[in-house]
Amino acid sequence: MALKQIDPVRWVLERDFKIGMKVTGLIYGDSYIIQNLEKEGALTQIANVACLPGILKHSFAMPDVHWGYGFPIGGVAAFSLNEGIISPGGVGYDISCGVRVMLTFIEEKEVASCIDELTAALFSRVPSGVGSKGALKISETELLSVLAKGALWAVKKGYGRSEDLECIEERGTLPHANPDAVSKKAIERGKPQLGTLGSGNHFLEIQVIDEIYDENVARQFGLNPGQVTVMIHCGSRGLGHQVCDDYIKVMLRAMNKYGISVPDRQLCCAPLKSEEAKQYLGAMQAAANYALANREIIGQLVREVFGDFFPKSDLKLLYDVSHNMAHIEKHGVEGKQVDVCVHRKGATRAFPPGHPSLPERYIQVGQPVIIPGSMGTESYILVGTKRGMEECFASTCHGAGRVLSRKAAMKSEKADTILKRLEDRGIKVMAETIGTVREEIPEAYKDVSRVVDVVEKAGISRKVARLRPLAVIKG
């Protein structure tokens, strides 16, 4: 496969007509990113996505790209509503896996005196780990309401605040969710897990803002040096996983029905105009509503714990956004504004200033974009740009991106050594299982600062602030 560098942070994967590429690939990366690109993994997947019917512009890869199921993680592709498809492999198993940042009005020195106790209280209050179950006991009828209403359900039940909703993607509710398209098995898996963090790369982190890059945007976002923040990263738990699994089987049958051929069965799909696509979109949005409610509930639990330690404190939601979704959005294509289906698999929506989807408080500056680092490394707040909107369907990176598999990471270092290393840097770590700590060592990921620098140099999003970890809670 031929890669051609067109500027310091853009590489074109040229069309290979033999495998049926309909468009070129466009990869965002500097020499460090390209050196870490899996030639037989992610690069092949970028080319495979370029073969899908109705794809527009390019098969995009963000600098955190690495091998995934079907699409690479860090992959973005938009499809024509008339000629295009939708693919569960372009969204992933953890539907609406996403991240939120909550702003405290507390300084680092105030938290430092009680960081051990505060971390332990959060670890106790927010359930985490594989198969973890929440304190919420809800009926199937209530769960169907969660799937229909998302974070709005949580707010109405007292597990959040109404002012949070305007700072959540789609105001906290994806409007075309169809709970009836979600299987009984998915519902059974999701019923006990609402309000839980999960495991793997999911986390809850206490952080402090240690650098501001854009003072004007930071001021609009309410960010100040020395300010303590809380970041929550989780998704739709077993329910979303089951929805993906169910609809992969549906899409495999649909490809035979509609005569669709793809280079990899993991890219199984259906025409966007088909009944199968309509059912998957409805089920996917229902799973996303579950994820939005899940993060809202966890956010409220965090507020309550902070209130126990700092009675006069308050936590304000900066933003909550998914990075595993397919959205129907309006974008410019060949000089016309048209509705397209944008798949973002391990990539973040990043709307520019003036976009009608933004809350009033951010309309002048653009959407907050939250980029978590790996365990023990810095995270970033970015902002969406006009160039990103025009070039890559308002998309940017979603994190650091793995360079080691979980199996390889487990072999590389003992858990007590990792914990000691982080403790020496002043970072408290609590985890449900020690295996998760070993899987998530910082060396398992790319350098998030290099990833963020690439998207800024490319102009598809812009740095606003850097967040340094004080304490990490893992599943």
Side-chain angles (χ1 to χ4, degrees):
M1 293 181 189
L3 263 183
K4 179 182 177 182
Q5 188 170 12
I6 57 173
D7 73 16
V9 290
R10 287 178 177 81
W11 300 70
V12 169
L13 178 61
E14 295 181 346
R15 287 179 70 181
D16 184 337
F17 292 94
K18 290 180 182 177
I19 67 168
M21 288 175 68
K22 295 174 171 58
V23 296
T24 54
L26 181 58
I27 302 166
Y28 296 95
D30 57 12
S31 59
Y32 165 78
I33 299 298
I34 298 302
Q35 285 167 12
N36 281 285
L37 184 63
E38 310 134 310
K39 302 299 186 290
E40 300 302 319
L43 197 62
T44 299
Q45 291 186 320
I46 295 163
N48 288 345
V49 170
C51 300
L52 293 174
I55 189 169
L56 301 168
K57 292 188 181 180
H58 306 282
S59 170
F60 295 93
M62 298 297 146
D64 49 343
V65 66
H66 59 103
W67 181 87
Y69 182 95
F71 276 50
I73 296 165
V76 175
F79 297 89
S80 157
L81 295 192
N82 290 325
E83 308 296 332
I85 55 85
I86 190 166
S87 173
V91 174
Y93 275 92
D94 194 359
I95 296 167
S96 185
C97 180
V99 62
R100 66 165 41 197
V101 165
M102 303 178 76
L103 308 178
T104 78
F105 299 92
I106 305 166
E107 293 188 355
E108 180 182 4
K109 60 185 178 183
E110 297 177 73
V111 168
S113 62
C114 61
I115 191 67
D116 288 356
E117 296 83 358
L118 178 60
T119 306
L122 287 167
F123 184 75
S124 175
R125 195 66 179 277
V126 180
S128 61
V130 176
S132 52
K133 297 181 179 181
L136 277 69
K137 306 298 180 188
I138 61 172
S139 66
E140 183 174 320
T141 300
E142 284 180 303
L143 183 60
L144 292 174
S145 185
V146 173
L147 300 184
K149 296 178 181 176
L152 178 61
W153 179 90
V155 168
K156 287 189 172 181
K157 292 292 182 177
Y159 300 116
R161 296 180 181 172
S162 58
E163 59 264 32
D164 290 346
L165 296 174
E166 71 163 348
C167 291
I168 302 174
E169 176 182 5
E170 302 296 321
R171 302 296 194 270
T173 304
L174 282 93
H176 303 298
N178 179 8
D180 292 337
V182 177
S183 70
K184 287 283 187 183
K185 187 173 181 180
I187 288 167
E188 286 305 311
R189 290 183 69 179
K191 201 161 64 170
Q193 293 185 330
L194 196 60
T196 66
L197 200 59
S199 64
N201 64 348
H202 295 162
F203 65 82
L204 189 158
E205 196 163 286
I206 305 171
Q207 306 165 324
V208 61
I209 298 172
D210 76 344
E211 189 159 356
I212 298 291
Y213 301 101
D214 188 318
E215 290 187 1
N216 177 53
V217 177
R219 193 178 308 112
Q220 290 292 112
F221 287 177
L223 309 178
N224 298 290
Q227 179 182 10
V228 171
T229 65
V230 177
M231 184 177 286
I232 299 165
H233 176 217
C234 62
S236 50
R237 306 289 282 112
L239 184 142
H241 190 283
Q242 190 62 47
V243 166
C244 181
D245 204 44
D246 291 339
Y247 279 90
I248 283 171
K249 296 167 188 169
V250 171
M251 296 303 179
L252 285 169
R253 294 192 296 269
M255 287 202 302
N256 290 328
K257 177 179 176 181
Y258 297 107
I260 297 172
S261 176
V262 296
D264 179 358
R265 282 169 61 84
Q266 292 183 358
L267 292 172
C268 58
C269 55
L272 277 158
K273 295 192 291 187
S274 70
E275 184 59 30
E276 290 88 347
K278 182 180 177 182
Q279 288 293 304
Y280 172 64
L281 271 167
M284 181 197 65
Q285 288 204 6
N289 278 342
Y290 181 99
L292 296 177
N294 194 36
R295 290 194 291 274
E296 180 68 9
I297 292 164
I298 293 172
Q300 188 61 22
L301 295 175
V302 169
R303 279 189 176 116
E304 291 170 4
V305 171
F306 265 78
D308 291 340
F309 284 80
F310 306 99
K312 295 181 180 178
S313 74
D314 192 20
L315 275 75
K316 173 185 169 186
L317 180 61
L318 171 66
Y319 206 66
D320 183 308
V321 65
S322 307
H323 46 235
N324 279 357
M325 281 296 294
H327 281 294
I328 307 298
E329 298 170 358
K330 197 172 289 293
H331 287 276
V333 179
E334 296 179 349
K336 296 180 181 178
Q337 289 292 310
V338 294
D339 287 331
V340 300
C341 182
V342 185
H343 293 61
R344 298 184 182 93
K345 165 83 167 288
T348 309
R349 180 193 261 181
F351 284 145
H355 195 280
S357 293
L358 293 176
E360 185 64 31
R361 70 182 75 173
Y362 301 140
I363 199 79
Q364 297 299 320
V365 292
Q367 179 203 309
V369 178
I370 303 163
I371 309 299
S374 55
M375 184 177 65
T377 68
E378 291 82 4
S379 298
Y380 289 84
I381 306 296
L382 313 182
V383 67
T385 65
K386 183 181 178 183
R387 182 164 187 175
M389 182 74 181
E390 294 172 348
E391 182 173 301
C392 53
F393 298 99
S395 305
T396 191
C397 60
H398 87 304
R402 291 193 82 96
V403 291
L404 288 179
S405 69
R406 286 185 165 83
K407 187 176 180 180
M410 288 283 281
K411 294 178 179 178
S412 65
E413 191 174 1
K414 292 182 178 179
D416 54 354
T417 310
I418 302 161
L419 293 172
K420 178 68 165 59
R421 200 154 47 96
L422 294 172
E423 185 180 328
D424 288 346
R425 292 172 49 208
I427 302 169
K428 175 78 174 175
V429 179
M430 294 192 73
E432 192 68 34
T433 64
I434 209 69
T436 303
V437 174
R438 293 176 66 196
E439 288 178 352
E440 295 296 308
I441 59 170
E443 291 77 13
Y445 290 84
K446 296 172 189 168
D447 181 344
V448 69
S449 64
R450 297 289 295 268
V451 170
V452 166
D453 283 347
V454 166
V455 295
E456 177 162 81
K457 287 173 183 174
I460 60 173
S461 49
R462 204 170 69 247
K463 290 194 291 188
V464 178
R466 186 177 69 187
L467 315 177
R468 173 169 50 84
L470 301 175
V472 186
I473 291 169
K474 303 286 292 183

